[in-house]
Amino acid sequence: MCQFFSGSAILCISMIHIFLPLLLVPLVQCVVNREDRQIILTAHGMSMDDVENRIVIPIQDGRIPPLPCIMANAGKFEHGQTFTNKNFHYQCQNGTAEVVACIADDQSVIQLGRTFVKNGIMHKCTIVGDSVTYEQEAMCFDNGIHYSIGDTFRNGSFRLTCGRDGIVIEGCYLQNSGDYLMAGESRIVGRQRHQCEVLGDGRVRYQVKVIGCVRDGQQYNIAQVFTDKHVRYQCKNDGSLDVLGCVDDGLFLDLGRDLLINGMVHRCYQVDTTTYYHKRHVSRCTKRHLRQLHRLRAL
């Protein structure tokens, strides 16, 4: 048994990780000037002298209207208005820009607290305390299933892990077992050697080899000599069988030889990879012919 696996045969998307925290706090500073009957709003962290990042709101009849929102270098937005800045979608609530969703680079909308996968990328929009975090992470894809970084899964005889740079072949599962070998490891179980071999071209090969030889379901040890249907074999180190010759009632005949004894011709020969043993009685004429044939062979 031999199986191959190559990481190049499976779609893997490289790791992308974006971490964008954002506090859910008012993004404006408010200064009320009652003498001038106006309110000055500035973006959080900006000076009131920065005309690009401030809003002046007049006070009418002593009433303070719903406040707009202003974000540094991002614009000014009215109360109730929604807008997008980088990977976050906001709604202005009386001077506070509240995150209502996360926005992927392809403009997909991820609701707060949700996770979804699109085109092999996992998108997460997470609320942690008073902050919202947007993350996008490449995933591994195999046999119609997406796997997160660090996930381990099985494909046939191979144990795979989804890594930051794609799918990694971690090892090989033993035949008919949940146990596994690490890549490059081998193990003997019973009369079988299991090997998880790392090849030079980046592939991994899983092999199961019987220790010794097998013929017609019968197992033989290395160097063991045995006879099956008049053919004598010897088990070689690589698990193959070496044909030594043919045997019949104590008579041994080398492979490729004919022998005439007491009017009986014994033959041991091969056709392709099959070895045959035949014997038959011969007439006097046939005997003379065989003797002549043997003389010619001797010459």
Side-chain angles (χ1 to χ4, degrees):
M1 173 184 175
C2 179
Q3 296 187 19
F4 290 89
F5 189 93
S6 173
S8 62
I10 294 183
L11 174 63
C12 304
I13 305 175
S14 59
M15 176 69 179
I16 305 171
H17 193 82
I18 298 177
F19 184 78
L20 297 174
L22 185 69
L23 295 178
L24 291 173
V25 297
L27 298 180
V28 298
Q29 301 174 92
C30 177
V31 176
V32 179
N33 189 330
R34 297 191 180 278
E35 293 182 358
D36 295 335
R37 302 181 63 80
Q38 64 183 12
I39 298 173
I40 301 176
L41 300 178
T42 62
H44 187 71
M46 295 296 178
S47 169
M48 287 189 297
D49 296 329
D50 187 349
V51 295
E52 296 295 329
N53 289 289
R54 75 176 187 179
I55 302 175
V56 178
I57 304 173
I59 300 175
Q60 298 178 355
D61 301 327
R63 298 176 57 189
I64 299 178
L67 301 178
C69 298
I70 181 170
M71 296 182 67
N73 303 314
K76 304 168 185 178
F77 308 94
E78 297 299 325
H79 169 70
Q81 184 179 355
T82 59
F83 59 95
T84 298
N85 184 30
K86 296 182 179 178
N87 290 100
F88 297 95
H89 192 60
Y90 301 85
Q91 184 175 39
C92 180
Q93 294 289 347
N94 196 27
T96 299
E98 296 184 0
V99 178
V100 294
C102 298
I103 305 296
D105 294 340
D106 63 358
Q107 302 306 305
S108 298
V109 178
I110 307 98
Q111 300 298 328
L112 294 177
R114 300 293 297 274
T115 299
F116 89 106
V117 176
K118 182 178 180 181
N119 297 329
I121 303 294
M122 179 177 64
H123 303 265
K124 297 175 65 176
C125 189
T126 309
I127 302 175
V128 180
D130 290 332
S131 66
V132 174
T133 300
Y134 168 67
E135 297 172 277
Q136 69 176 39
E137 181 178 289
M139 305 184 72
C140 301
F141 183 78
D142 181 40
N143 288 337
I145 301 175
H146 288 95
Y147 297 94
S148 298
I149 303 300
D151 285 352
T152 298
F153 55 98
R154 181 170 184 167
N155 183 333
S157 296
F158 301 96
R159 180 180 173 89
L160 310 175
T161 298
C162 180
R164 295 186 179 276
D165 296 322
I167 293 178
V168 178
I169 307 171
E170 185 176 323
C172 307
Y173 284 95
L174 298 181
Q175 187 178 25
N176 302 322
S177 171
D179 198 6
Y180 66 93
L181 305 172
M182 298 302 294
E185 183 183 0
S186 65
R187 186 184 306 171
I188 295 176
V189 180
R191 295 181 62 89
Q192 294 180 327
R193 180 186 297 276
H194 299 257
Q195 186 172 10
C196 188
E197 182 182 4
V198 179
L199 304 180
D201 56 2
R203 295 183 300 163
V204 173
R205 177 173 61 191
Y206 173 60
Q207 286 185 312
V208 180
K209 294 182 179 180
V210 175
I211 300 176
C213 305
V214 176
R215 179 171 176 80
D216 294 336
Q218 183 68 37
Q219 293 185 335
Y220 300 94
N221 296 324
I222 294 174
Q224 183 177 352
V225 176
F226 63 95
T227 301
D228 181 27
K229 299 175 183 177
H230 294 285
V231 180
R232 179 161 291 178
Y233 301 91
Q234 185 173 32
C235 179
K236 298 171 65 176
N237 291 335
D238 61 0
S240 63
L241 293 173
D242 188 18
V243 179
L244 302 179
C246 301
V247 178
D248 183 42
D249 293 332
L251 173 67
F252 176 77
L253 187 62
D254 290 326
L255 181 64
R257 297 293 301 275
D258 298 337
L259 185 62
L260 175 63
I261 300 178
N262 299 327
M264 184 76 70
V265 174
H266 302 263
R267 299 190 63 203
C268 184
Y269 62 97
Q270 273 188 336
V271 177
D272 295 327
T273 59
T274 304
T275 302
Y276 297 93
Y277 169 72
H278 285 160
K279 66 177 181 178
R280 65 185 179 91
H281 289 282
V282 295
S283 63
R284 291 182 179 179
C285 180
T286 304
K287 290 179 182 179
R288 286 196 300 271
H289 176 73
L290 288 174
R291 283 195 292 267
Q292 292 174 358
L293 181 61
H294 288 164
R295 291 194 193 101
L296 290 174
R297 287 180 177 177
L299 295 176

